[in-house]
Amino acid sequence: MLNRTFLPLHDRLTAGYHVKNYRLGALKRSGAGRAMFLIERKRFFNSTAWVVNTIIGSILIAVLGVAGAAFSGRLMKLIAETPFREHAAVVITASLLFCATLSPTTSCAISMEGKELWIAKTLPVSARKWLNAKILMNLLLVGPSLLFAIAMLTVFYRKLLSPLSIVGIFALPVSALLFSTVAGLYVNVKMPRLSWKSDTEVVKQSGAVLVMMLVCFALILLTGLPMLLIRSDWVQIAASGILLVLTAGVYRYLMSRAEQISRNL
């Protein structure tokens, strides 16, 4: 349904008309970082395959928050009668973790530029701002819906959660989102696919997207099992700290070698 309706809707929203007596009254100006982000946003929404393949995570997160709140009474009663009562925080965290890291846009953001990559290289903009725009795109796409779902679930299921587990439910999915965003860009830098005929080849068939999917599944497994086995709310806090350290290390690597990365692509 999204695939069939997005492109016509996008065409209607972006369509315009020209008049013969057009005059330029004012020219908007923005900083280099904002300009690179606007270019990245336009490239993203101009690709139906890219939107459909990556926006599903944001949709699932929003549905999770709304559905969890709407059926909170029935679910809490059901959970209270089963052994899953002790694992309510684990289930909520794992669900949010899966949706937040499902398909980051950064795993194919560089590849999507394809043969037009020379434009980004010739612009008088630093490579750091070029890379940061791609990171910001994924964070703004997934971040708001993730925070919305966290707020809804922690409010409606607060009777099953301890104060420390609520902190973990917020910290771990957000840390995982940051990690998957930066790691996706790193994987795409190492495995770019710049020669393609259709954007579907990049979004669904490129090696970087496949590797990042495996990384995200491994991330869920490596964080979910300790939470189930150890049964301590501190596990979520510790896992969040580890992910933040890894994220900072990968981000520092990308920023310190940004110009070299741009030249070598």
Side-chain angles (χ1 to χ4, degrees), residues 32-231:
R34 176 177 170 81
M36 295 304 296
F37 170 73
L38 293 177
I39 293 173
E40 189 68 23
R41 186 183 67 178
K42 183 178 180 180
R43 181 183 296 112
F44 174 75
F45 285 105
N46 280 343
S47 173
T48 306
W50 198 6
V51 170
V52 172
N53 194 68
T54 55
I55 207 171
I56 189 66
S58 300
I59 296 175
L60 287 176
I61 293 173
V63 170
L64 180 64
V66 174
F71 300 101
S72 60
R74 297 180 182 178
L75 290 175
M76 286 182 64
K77 183 178 180 180
L78 179 63
I79 294 173
E81 298 174 354
T82 64
F84 287 101
R85 177 183 177 86
E86 300 179 359
H87 303 296
V90 177
V91 174
I92 294 174
T93 305
S95 302
L96 292 170
L97 197 67
F98 172 76
C99 297
T101 62
L102 184 59
S103 184
T105 60
T106 51
S107 61
C108 56
I110 294 176
S111 299
M112 285 298 294
E113 298 202 26
K115 296 179 181 179
E116 297 180 354
L117 185 62
W118 65 271
I119 298 177
K121 291 185 176 184
T122 55
L123 288 175
V125 179
S126 66
R128 290 186 177 185
K129 293 182 179 179
W130 173 60
L131 294 177
N132 281 326
K134 301 181 184 303
I135 294 174
L136 183 61
M137 181 66 220
N138 188 69
L139 294 179
L140 292 181
L141 183 68
V142 183
S145 58
L146 178 61
L147 295 177
F148 166 77
I150 291 173
M152 295 289 284
L153 294 175
T154 52
V155 168
F156 282 90
Y157 294 88
R158 60 186 181 276
K159 294 181 180 180
L160 300 176
L161 305 172
S162 65
L164 188 59
S165 65
I166 293 177
V167 175
I169 290 174
F170 172 81
L172 187 53
V174 172
S175 302
L177 172 61
L178 294 172
F179 173 77
S180 64
T181 302
V182 177
L185 188 60
Y186 173 82
V187 172
N188 198 198
V189 165
K190 296 297 182 180
M191 303 176 63
R193 183 171 181 174
L194 303 176
S195 182
W196 44 269
K197 295 180 180 180
S198 171
D199 54 359
T200 306
E201 298 178 21
V202 179
V203 175
K204 296 185 178 182
Q205 301 174 8
S206 63
V209 174
L210 176 60
V211 169
M212 200 57 212
M213 287 180 62
L214 296 176
V215 169
C216 291
F217 281 122
L219 176 64
I220 297 170
L221 184 64
L222 293 176
T223 54
L225 285 179
M227 287 189 292
L228 287 173
L229 296 176
I230 300 178
R231 297 184 182 182

